[in-house]
Amino acid sequence: MSQKTRRDYEAEVRSWGFQHVFTWTDGPNAHYRPHSHSGLTTHLILNGQLTITYPKDAHPQKKTYSVGDRIDVDAGRTHEVWMGSEGCTYVIGE
């Protein structure tokens, strides 16, 4: 991404209305089994890739996101996530 700092990206996510904001890094090929959160979450990808699916949807499909993409997951929506071969760093807003 551009010359923005981690703080800049975290401030951007806060500006979207999220109060709990932090940067997280997952290692290569990390996997999160199906789960959900009690509130809306957002993910702004700073480095690497993230693939997500919603296994309880009528026709689940995997979608891959990369640097600069924003992914919002609605409260209570079950999702499963895989990180790319280089891992993934992203800002989370809750």
Side-chain angles (χ1 to χ4, degrees):
M1 298 197 85
S2 65
Q3 298 298 323
K4 287 184 178 181
T5 67
R6 184 184 83 186
R7 278 189 168 177
D8 293 333
Y9 289 113
E10 289 176 353
E12 181 177 349
V13 171
R14 265 190 210 88
S15 78
W16 300 339
F18 294 93
Q19 294 185 5
H20 184 228
V21 174
F22 57 98
T23 299
W24 187 261
T25 299
D26 284 302
N29 305 308
H31 174 243
Y32 290 93
R33 296 177 60 84
H35 65 284
S36 63
H37 304 277
S38 60
L40 172 69
T41 61
T42 193
H43 308 74
L44 175 61
I45 299 182
L46 304 183
N47 193 325
Q49 291 185 326
L50 173 158
T51 299
I52 190 167
T53 190
Y54 303 96
K56 292 187 177 181
D57 284 7
H59 303 285
Q61 295 182 349
K62 289 183 179 179
K63 184 167 181 183
T64 299
Y65 296 91
S66 46
V67 176
D69 290 338
R70 174 183 175 176
I71 306 100
D72 289 344
V73 180
D74 291 332
R77 189 172 187 196
T78 300
H79 55 289
E80 184 172 10
V81 182
W82 298 263
M83 302 306 153
S85 61
E86 297 177 12
C88 189
T89 298
Y90 46 101
V91 178
I92 298 173
E94 301 176 322

